[in-house]
Amino acid sequence: MNTQDVTIHTVTFLPSRKSAQVPQGMTVWQAARQLGLLLETPCNGAATCAKCRVQIRSGYTDPAHSAHRLTTDELVRGWRLACVTQVSGPLEVEIPDPASARLHTILMDGDLVEITCDPHSEGRLGVAFDLGTTTVAGTLFDLGTGNALATGADMNRQTQVGDDVISRIAAVRENPPALHRLQSLVVETLNGILQVLCAKCGRARRDIHRVMVAGNTTMQQVLLGLDPSPLGEKPFAPAFTDAQAVPAAPLGLAVHAGAELTVFPQVGGFVGGDTVAGLLTVRADTLDKPTLLVDIGTNGEIALLHNGRIFAASTAAGPAFEGARIQQGMRAVVGAIDQIWLQAGTLRYHIIGSMRPKGLCGSALIDAAAILFQIGILSPAGVLAVPEEPPRELNRQLAQRLVETEHGMRFGLALDRDMTPLVSLTQQDIRELQLASSAIRAGIDTLLAKAGITASDLDSIQLAGAFGNYLRAENAMRIGLLPHLPTDRIRFIGNASLAGAKRALLSSDELRRARAIREKTLHVELASEPGFSDCFMDAMMFGER
């Protein structure tokens, strides 16, 4: 289009008096951004959150596009949603209460997000934690600027007591003093990460004034020193559901003496603050199409959004996806095989750090099972064996990698030059994967049935968790871990629990939003749902469905 044919209008924003010359048809939101005036738009311009309200002081704009979120009286008084209000003539637009909020554009997990930051004195630090059953991750922030300074992670030292929440709850039920030990171990874990984070950026832990934690119900309660024993029997009642704010130093955290620690609101016995944080991250209150949030980990969390309702459940997947209980399993660290694929009739793999392989992480475990299933060495029932009628993909070289040992069948994934296996997959590893995969899939199928929809109705599956970053969706679908969907409907959103904790650390508005999301979330106790056991048994079979 010839620029001479475009009608240009002046848009002036109050109270800054900044003006922009913009083409007809541009939205008020875009005009404001052009001038560096940031409006709160958590729905990213989808006109669903109504946070970008502005008041037209002079000029005409069509009220129709804002009518679905604003009242008739508000429209008459000139209120509009900036993200959908188009410029059709000269305008004066007032941005309400600009001094009451500090809207920052922040790089968060690779994405630029706009967030209303709470005001803080210069030099104050804050830290957001994802408190996982197996791993703990944290990010240190300058609260004054909203900038992330350092990120780190470590194993949860509570694994010394048990590798899942059930075993840790049982430890306290059998021996109440074990609660003190579990709490001490998690505090040691957090302090270790804090020390590393501060060392990375040359800051002192005494400057940390705010700590935000998102974890499952057991992890959050143990951190606060609250007995998790009631979570071990029906009705699996949590000690609290709303967010809890307590002094951090008395818990043993090495931070400023007056620092406050806040843990996320939680939905139920095994649907905790990490799920609420994930729902906050995906802006669950703005989504209007069926969406599934799946956080694959030791304590797998699943949430289904449909028709304004949120169904949430937790399933004990076990630590197989994080490398535990797998004979040569390990976390996704240097030396771990994190990807396996079939090329020209042989197996290829990628090693983190490009070194001699030490083991395989959860994503490679799924890759391996999917490939062995594809070439016929792994049966739908999960048995490692060379089939009587091998498929074309199974050549002699691949078949020879499967050997029988005194401990059962073993398949060599990575071989040394003399063909000695460096990393292998055992029959027991396959059983662990079956249990973990079927727990997740049965949870998904049960929630879909609860909502009265099928997987094909889903607009997207949002895969959360550090593990999800490495997962190949096609392989997860091949073994049946995820429902079969077009791959463009499966999205990887990283550590959503940590992302939600970051938002709530920086903004009390975001924490209030998390509380509101929790209020509308229905806790589904999977074991009590009709059909869950059948779903679990069906999901034990490998294959797409």
Side-chain angles (χ1 to χ4, degrees):
M1 179 185 293
N2 190 321
T3 55
Q4 293 180 346
D5 297 332
V6 178
T7 302
I8 302 298
H9 301 293
T10 300
V11 180
T12 302
F13 290 91
L14 305 174
S16 67
R17 304 300 304 179
K18 289 185 176 181
S19 296
Q21 303 294 313
V22 303
Q24 180 158 318
M26 176 180 278
T27 66
V28 170
W29 176 40
Q30 292 168 328
R33 289 173 65 92
Q34 185 173 300
L35 291 170
L37 300 172
L38 299 180
L39 300 170
E40 188 176 2
T41 52
C43 70
N44 198 32
T48 57
C49 71
K51 295 283 188 178
C52 63
R53 289 162 42 112
V54 295
Q55 193 167 21
I56 307 301
R57 291 299 189 184
S58 175
Y60 173 80
T61 58
D62 188 346
H65 299 300
S66 303
H68 66 297
R69 292 308 305 269
L70 302 180
T71 67
T72 301
D73 180 64
E74 288 174 323
L75 295 172
V76 169
R77 289 188 289 118
W79 288 99
R80 300 287 187 272
L81 301 182
C83 66
V84 290
T85 298
Q86 296 182 345
V87 177
S88 58
L91 293 177
E92 279 194 350
V93 181
E94 183 171 355
I95 300 176
D97 300 323
S100 65
R102 297 162 60 248
L103 193 61
H104 287 183
T105 301
I106 298 170
L107 184 65
M108 190 173 290
D109 300 313
D111 295 322
L112 284 172
V113 299
E114 293 177 2
I115 190 169
T116 306
C117 291
D118 297 335
H120 286 280
S121 302
E122 184 178 351
R124 288 198 170 199
L125 304 180
V127 62
F129 281 112
D130 166 40
L131 179 53
T133 308
T134 305
T135 57
V136 181
T139 300
L140 185 69
F141 281 87
D142 183 322
L143 294 177
T145 63
N147 293 330
L149 303 178
T151 294
D154 198 2
M155 293 289 290
N156 188 333
R157 299 184 190 185
Q158 290 180 341
T159 53
Q160 299 172 26
V161 178
D163 58 13
D164 57 29
V165 295
I166 301 299
S167 59
R168 295 176 204 175
I169 292 170
V172 178
R173 288 170 64 87
E174 295 166 7
N175 179 29
L179 173 59
H180 177 70
R181 185 185 178 211
L182 283 169
Q183 185 188 34
S184 297
L185 288 170
V186 73
V187 169
E188 287 177 17
T189 305
L190 297 179
N191 280 338
I193 296 173
L194 288 174
Q195 183 174 3
V196 171
L197 295 179
C198 289
K200 282 183 178 180
C201 57
R203 304 294 291 270
R205 284 182 287 178
R206 63 177 178 273
D207 292 330
I208 298 174
H209 287 255
R210 195 170 184 182
V211 181
M212 183 66 61
V213 174
N216 65 57
T217 308
T218 303
M219 293 300 95
Q220 293 195 153
Q221 291 190 189
V222 169
L223 173 61
L224 297 180
L226 301 174
D227 184 6
S229 296
L231 301 176
E233 60 185 8
K234 288 185 177 181
F236 311 109
F240 61 89
T241 54
D242 197 9
Q244 302 291 300
V246 299
L251 295 177
L253 288 177
V255 293
H256 187 274
E260 183 179 76
L261 177 141
T262 304
V263 299
F264 256 70
Q266 46 196 35
V267 178
F270 292 99
V271 181
D274 47 1
T275 302
V276 177
L279 290 167
L280 177 67
T281 297
V282 301
R283 323 315 273 162
D285 50 347
T286 69
L287 300 177
D288 56 2
K289 295 180 180 179
T291 301
L292 190 70
L293 172 66
V294 182
D295 192 336
I296 301 175
T298 307
N299 190 54
E301 289 87 22
I302 307 162
L304 175 63
L305 292 72
H306 178 55
N307 280 345
R309 297 182 296 171
I310 303 174
F311 303 92
S314 176
T315 181
F321 294 127
E322 295 177 322
R325 296 187 190 170
I326 304 301
Q327 185 162 325
Q328 289 188 264
M330 58 189 294
R331 292 169 55 214
V333 296
V334 172
I337 297 175
D338 67 340
Q339 185 175 2
I340 304 175
W341 65 97
L342 193 63
Q343 181 179 341
T346 191
L347 289 184
R348 305 292 183 188
Y349 52 85
H350 176 265
I351 308 164
I352 299 175
S354 300
M355 59 182 293
R356 186 181 178 89
K358 298 178 181 178
L360 75 163
C361 65
S363 56
L365 174 66
I366 291 174
D367 287 345
I371 291 169
L372 295 185
F373 184 73
Q374 176 186 349
I375 65 178
I377 282 183
L378 180 62
S379 74
V383 177
L384 286 173
V386 175
E388 293 184 3
E389 298 183 8
R392 286 184 301 176
E393 294 93 340
L394 180 56
N395 56 42
R396 182 179 178 184
Q397 181 262 334
L398 289 172
Q400 289 177 338
R401 291 178 179 234
L402 183 66
V403 297
E404 186 170 5
T405 72
E406 58 181 319
H407 301 293
M409 302 301 290
R410 178 187 300 269
F411 185 89
L413 296 172
L415 308 178
D416 207 346
R417 292 181 179 179
D418 62 358
M419 305 304 289
T420 302
L422 297 173
V423 178
S424 298
L425 190 68
T426 71
Q427 183 65 70
Q428 184 57 38
D429 295 338
I430 294 296
R431 288 288 176 247
E432 293 292 343
L433 175 60
Q434 277 182 295
L435 291 170
S437 177
S438 59
I440 297 291
R441 181 58 188 271
I444 291 173
D445 290 346
T446 301
L447 289 191
L448 289 171
K450 183 87 172 175
I453 61 174
T454 65
S456 61
D457 296 317
L458 292 171
D459 179 66
S460 70
I461 296 178
Q462 309 274 340
L463 282 182
F467 171 71
N469 289 332
Y470 300 92
L471 184 68
R472 255 70 57 195
E474 60 274 15
N475 286 337
M477 289 188 288
R478 180 174 291 162
I479 68 171
L481 170 61
L482 296 177
H484 182 69
L485 284 176
T487 54
D488 61 359
R489 291 200 216 172
I490 298 177
R491 296 159 194 169
F492 302 91
I493 59 174
N495 191 333
S497 174
L498 181 58
K502 292 175 183 178
R503 287 179 174 272
L505 171 75
L506 296 172
S507 171
S508 53
D509 284 347
E510 292 291 297
L511 183 57
R512 282 191 289 271
R513 190 170 189 171
R515 284 170 160 156
I517 289 173
R518 187 205 67 81
E519 289 289 340
K520 66 188 296 185
T521 301
L522 173 67
H523 181 209
V524 178
E525 176 53 53
L526 292 176
S528 302
E529 286 297 308
F532 174 72
S533 296
D534 291 339
C535 287
F536 186 88
M537 295 307 298
D538 289 344
M540 285 288 287
M541 300 293 287
F542 288 123
E544 289 189 2
R545 55 192 177 279

